[in-house]
Amino acid sequence: MSKKIVLVGSLDTKEKEFLYVKGIIEENGLETILVNTAVYPSFTEGDVSNEEVAKAGGSSLEELREKNDRGGAVTIMANGARNVVNRLIEEGKVGAVFGMGGTAGTTVGATAMKDVPIGIPKLLVSTVASGNTRPYVGEKDIMMLYSIVDIAGINSLSSLILKNAANALSGMVNGNKISIEVEEKPMIAATMFGVTTPCVNQTREILEQSGYDVLVFHATGAGGDSMEALIKEGFIKGVVDITTTELADGLVGGIFQSSESRLEAAGQVGIPQVVSVGALDMVNFGPPETVPAQFKNRKFYQHNPTTTLMRTTVDENRKLGETIARKLNKSTSPVVLVFPKGGVSLLDRTGQPFDGPEERDTLCNAIKENLYDHITFIEVEEDINHPSVSELIAATLLEQIGTKKGDATHV
């Protein structure tokens, strides 16, 4: 069965645009399935009608029209589109998913894509793609293309944008027919920041030499949440959560906040993990002028023109230690916490801007005092980026997994 490109959108307001994209995709030799999410009538019904979508979302077009609640209707049709796409995936029909629109159309398209497995191409042409895209992308490989102009008719500019989108998606689907074999290895997840890069890179190299693929996630909030999602989906065999800095942003209000469930997925699914306290010396903000006024007397470091780092306080480190212990105490699988007493980042060492012996001691003691006895706590004198710390983290995880160095084939 040939897989098709599923186009998800409202044909009462975007009919010409969707038919234009559909035509280009079909000119490229691919088949399409047009899913109509419109509440009101359109000339084109679609391969999956809007009545079917409304029903799949738990309502009917008649009911939605009677209520005349646009926000409620968007929610129903978005959920319906998601359920329709999920059914098409189960039937083996989906080669890619496409959507476009303003905030409503983007919401519907993104909702339909969020259950689509990683690796199946997903593309949204959106008027809001140049802003904060995290609510739409979440933890999935959803691509967003800024539409430049509103998606309202086919003109010389919009046709160029939509043509590029249609051809890009077609190329991704056709490209999947070309097979270049990549050796499949068991996967280990790691978290990294610029200030923990030496530790993570050396840990990664040791684990790769032992037969693993190491997926490194940038600890920017979305990065940590993406890792947690992959863990829950069963992709990951073990975790070296070296950089837990997102917890600091969540506590203080930085820009790299992760979800409330951060640091809990590995324990929930029962895979081994080695955890450290990388970059908990800092909270992240944008350019200096974006730092909230209440923090004006704090210690800062300008990481680059768009990133301002703020040193965490003694009290914040106490709370972070308690949070880490509380989360790890829930684990149903082996956990080891490695605490580098010499510093938790490149900036938190002797002579560096964020060097904080009192903050580190407070963090260390708060973890120790609240961590359950069955969880192993290892203190080392070196800073987190010392080679010996990387070697310890890698060796500890390999021991937990039961892998001999250089041989992960039995996992």
Side-chain angles (χ1 to χ4, degrees):
M1 177 188 299
S2 63
K3 295 183 183 294
K4 304 177 182 180
I5 295 182
V6 180
L7 298 94
V8 178
S10 184
L11 299 184
D12 57 348
T13 59
K14 300 287 186 287
E15 181 181 38
K16 288 182 180 179
E17 295 88 338
F18 272 99
L19 292 180
Y20 178 74
V21 171
K22 173 182 167 70
I24 294 172
I25 291 171
E26 291 176 348
E27 283 182 9
N28 288 329
L30 297 165
E31 297 180 87
T32 62
I33 299 175
L34 187 55
V35 178
N36 185 6
T37 62
V39 172
Y40 294 98
S42 57
F43 290 107
T44 302
E45 184 174 283
D47 300 300
V48 179
S49 71
N50 50 355
E51 186 62 65
E52 291 178 77
V53 174
K55 184 178 179 180
S59 186
S60 68
L61 291 180
E62 182 180 5
E63 182 178 356
L64 294 177
R65 291 169 183 171
E66 286 178 357
K67 288 183 176 179
N68 195 30
D69 176 3
R70 189 171 187 270
V74 168
T75 299
I76 292 293
M77 299 307 279
N79 289 333
R82 180 192 63 204
N83 293 334
V84 166
V85 171
N86 285 345
R87 172 177 59 80
L88 293 172
I89 290 172
E90 291 174 1
E91 294 171 356
K93 296 179 179 178
V94 179
V97 184
F98 174 86
M100 64 175 150
T103 54
T106 303
T107 297
V108 171
T111 302
M113 294 175 185
K114 283 186 177 179
D115 285 346
V116 177
I118 291 172
I120 294 179
K122 315 161 189 66
L123 177 59
L124 274 170
V125 179
S126 172
T127 62
V128 295
S130 66
N132 177 17
T133 60
R134 188 173 178 184
Y136 307 109
V137 175
E139 295 82 47
K140 281 299 177 72
D141 53 340
I142 296 172
M143 294 165 281
M144 295 186 71
L145 174 64
Y146 184 42
S147 62
I148 308 296
V149 294
D150 203 352
I151 301 172
I154 300 299
N155 53 58
S156 56
L157 180 57
S158 68
S159 64
L160 178 62
I161 301 297
L162 294 179
K163 183 185 296 183
N164 284 342
N167 284 329
L169 200 58
S170 300
M172 283 183 269
V173 174
N174 283 323
N176 284 337
K177 298 174 183 176
I178 302 171
S179 179
I180 299 177
E181 293 298 326
V182 176
E183 182 184 357
E184 289 192 16
K185 302 176 183 177
M187 291 186 287
I188 289 173
T191 49
M192 186 168 77
F193 234 30
V195 292
T196 61
T197 295
C199 175
V200 178
N201 277 346
Q202 183 166 344
T203 303
R204 174 181 56 80
E205 290 170 4
I206 295 170
L207 294 171
E208 287 176 345
Q209 290 169 6
S210 297
Y212 290 92
D213 272 338
V214 180
L215 310 184
V216 179
F217 296 84
H218 198 193
T220 56
D225 286 343
S226 295
M227 180 184 75
E228 302 277 326
L230 285 176
I231 291 170
K232 291 177 182 177
E233 291 177 21
F235 286 94
I236 307 299
K237 300 299 182 184
V239 180
V240 281
D241 204 343
I242 292 167
T243 312
T244 45
T245 185
E246 291 153 318
L247 298 177
D249 278 43
L251 173 67
V252 182
I255 60 174
F256 290 154
Q257 300 181 42
S258 52
S259 68
E260 288 295 322
S261 61
R262 179 71 176 86
L263 198 60
E264 297 178 8
Q268 289 173 358
V269 303
I271 61 173
Q273 58 180 323
V274 179
V275 178
S276 194
V277 289
L280 283 178
D281 55 326
M282 60 189 62
V283 177
N284 294 266
F285 295 104
E289 63 271 17
T290 68
V291 178
Q294 68 263 33
F295 298 129
K296 65 180 181 179
N297 296 321
R298 296 281 292 270
K299 182 184 291 186
F300 295 97
Y301 179 82
Q302 200 63 42
H303 185 60
N304 58 48
T306 61
T307 306
T308 306
L309 307 179
M310 182 176 76
R311 187 40 163 118
T312 51
T313 65
V314 169
D315 184 59
E316 287 163 358
N317 275 276
R318 181 180 298 108
K319 293 176 181 176
L320 287 168
E322 293 168 354
T323 297
I324 289 172
R326 173 175 51 80
K327 287 176 174 289
L328 295 183
N329 287 342
K330 299 177 183 179
S331 179
T332 61
S333 57
V335 184
V336 175
L337 193 142
V338 175
F339 195 98
K341 297 174 69 176
V344 303
S345 83
L346 288 173
L347 297 179
D348 179 36
R349 299 182 297 172
T350 301
Q352 295 303 309
F354 281 178
D355 182 25
E358 185 180 1
E359 288 87 348
R360 291 196 298 273
D361 286 346
T362 300
L363 177 63
C364 183
N365 291 332
I367 295 172
K368 282 196 294 187
E369 290 168 5
N370 291 279
L371 204 62
Y372 288 170
D373 291 340
H374 72 275
I375 296 177
T376 302
F377 186 89
I378 301 175
E379 296 178 61
V380 295
E381 296 299 322
E382 295 78 12
D383 72 272
I384 196 167
N385 290 300
H386 192 278
S388 64
V389 177
S390 303
E391 293 167 3
L392 172 63
I393 290 172
T396 301
L397 185 69
L398 290 173
E399 182 180 355
Q400 286 180 324
I401 296 175
T403 303
K404 295 179 180 179
K405 188 173 181 180
D407 179 21
T409 58
H410 68 282
V411 175

